[in-house]
């Protein structure tokens, strides 16, 4: 809600049956502090990069700590759908997918607004709720003191967002898969 150069990236993963897996947060920072991970949604993973963007290391960590444990709990063939970002191409991830009966499908470039279920139905309502939460936070005494949402406050606001989305989450996720023909 301001023009700071701070950056936080989030990775979300959902199943076609409407389940949202734990979020994965990447801060723009040299170090990751415990206070930046407290009060967030259950099982959320936190990391950091110099840019605040996902790189191949954080992508692999996300895959091995969030996706693979979930996939191992399911029998049969699994499919992961991802965008065509270069950091999503990893030999370690490819090998793990082969070992665990997972196909990793990369969507064609510039097509996620039509072919990626989260882009189609989940992120719009999520962004609306996030803007509302940020406005509410800025109206508090702490929010008026802060030029931007601090990394210490971020997990708590993310937890509020995930709680607000919980009510219709499964229906919204399922509709994204349906609209994409998946």
């Amino acid at each position: 809600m301001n023009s700071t150069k701070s950056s936080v990236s989030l990775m979300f993963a959902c199943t076609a049956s409407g389940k949202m897996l734990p979020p994965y947060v990447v801060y723009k920072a040299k170090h990751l502090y415990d206070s930046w991970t407290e009060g967030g949604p259950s099982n959320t993973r936190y990391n950091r990069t110099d840019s605040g963007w996902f790189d191949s290391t954080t992508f692999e960590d996300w895959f091995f700590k969030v996706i693979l444990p979930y996939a191992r709990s399911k029998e049969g063939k699994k499919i992961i759908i991802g965008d065509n970002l270069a950091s999503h191409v990893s030999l370690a991830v490819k090998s793990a997918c082969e070992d665990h009966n997972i196909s990793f499908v990369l969507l064609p470039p510039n097509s996620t607004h039509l072919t990626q279920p989260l882009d189609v139905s989940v992120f719009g309502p999520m962004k609306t709720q996030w803007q509302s939460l940020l406005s509410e936070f800025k109206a508090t005494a702490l929010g008026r003191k802060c030029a931007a949402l601090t990394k210490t406050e971020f997990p708590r606001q993310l937890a509020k967002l995930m709680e607000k989305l919980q009510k219709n989450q499964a229906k919204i996720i399922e509709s994204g898969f349906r609209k994409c023909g998946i």
Side-chain angles (χ1 to χ4, degrees), residues 66-107:
V66 176
I67 299 302
L68 195 55
Y70 179 78
R72 283 182 180 149
S73 73
K74 303 298 174 195
E75 292 190 24
K77 182 75 173 169
K78 281 81 60 176
I79 299 172
I80 298 173
I81 302 168
D83 61 21
N84 219 328
L85 196 60
S87 65
H88 295 176
V89 180
S90 158
L91 290 176
V93 169
K94 182 180 182 309
S95 177
C97 286
E98 290 170 1
D99 292 345
H100 294 91
N101 202 17
I102 302 169
S103 291
F104 199 124
V105 177
L106 294 175
L107 297 170

Side-chain angles (χ1 to χ4, degrees), residues 28-43:
K28 179 180 180 180
K30 294 273 185 210
H31 305 284
L32 181 65
Y33 297 99
D34 288 343
S35 63
W36 299 354
T37 67
E38 296 168 352
S42 181
N43 299 315

Side-chain angles (χ1 to χ4, degrees), residues 140-160:
T140 66
L142 176 61
R144 286 190 295 273
K145 291 180 188 177
C146 301
L149 187 64
T150 64
K151 291 177 178 120
T152 302
E153 183 61 28
F154 182 83
R156 286 181 271 291
Q157 295 300 320
L158 181 59
K160 288 179 184 179

Side-chain angles (χ1 to χ4, degrees), residues 165-176:
L165 296 173
Q166 191 70 33
K167 182 179 178 185
N168 296 316
Q169 179 175 290
K171 288 179 187 174
I172 291 169
I173 293 168
E174 289 170 10
S175 76

